[in-house]
Amino acid sequence: QVQLVESGGGSVQAGGSLRLSCAGSGYRYSSRCMGWFRQVPGKEREVVARISSRTGATYYADSVKGRFTISQDKTKNTLSLQMNSLEPEDSAMYYCVAKEDRITCTGLTDPADFTFWGQGTQVTVSS
């Protein structure tokens, strides 16, 4: 069974940076789509960024383009999200997600598209 464990969340002032990490294990396939979602209480989960483990192609939500960078370390099965120029609106619970046996991430933007989820890590940005 795939397990995803996030780390790196915390509190930071606006304009600051945080780096989230996700350690994955139990993968059965070498190709997968991985990403980050976030959720604010009372709102739906929204995709932040995603990456194809095979091609390295990335996707970012408009709200984080130019500020966030998603990356992967295949040798360590880790996924990272570097978050710069953080804004109070970025405050949320961030989840690492994965869908196995996928060469690309094309079309995968809905939470239901991803099979595996981490437990989440809280990010709080104060103004």
Side-chain angles (χ1 to χ4, degrees), residues 39-98:
Q39 185 174 29
V40 175
K43 293 189 176 181
E44 294 185 354
R45 293 182 180 183
E46 61 174 0
V47 63
V48 175
R50 63 178 195 230
I51 186 169
S52 163
S53 69
R54 174 69 68 88
T55 70
T58 58
Y59 163 89
Y60 296 94
D62 288 342
S63 58
V64 306
K65 278 181 183 177
R67 300 188 298 120
F68 290 12
T69 303
I70 189 171
S71 61
Q72 60 178 342
D73 184 335
K74 293 182 182 180
T75 62
K76 298 179 181 179
N77 278 340
T78 58
L79 181 73
S80 297
L81 185 69
Q82 178 65 43
M83 305 185 294
N84 298 328
S85 302
L86 282 162
E87 304 169 352
E89 293 73 23
D90 295 316
S91 296
M93 184 71 77
Y94 283 71
Y95 297 92
C96 175
V97 299

Side-chain angles (χ1 to χ4, degrees), residues 1-24:
Q1 182 75 348
V2 173
Q3 289 191 324
L4 304 172
V5 180
E6 303 100 333
S7 61
S11 297
V12 65
Q13 288 191 327
S17 299
L18 282 174
R19 185 176 182 87
L20 305 183
S21 295
C22 174

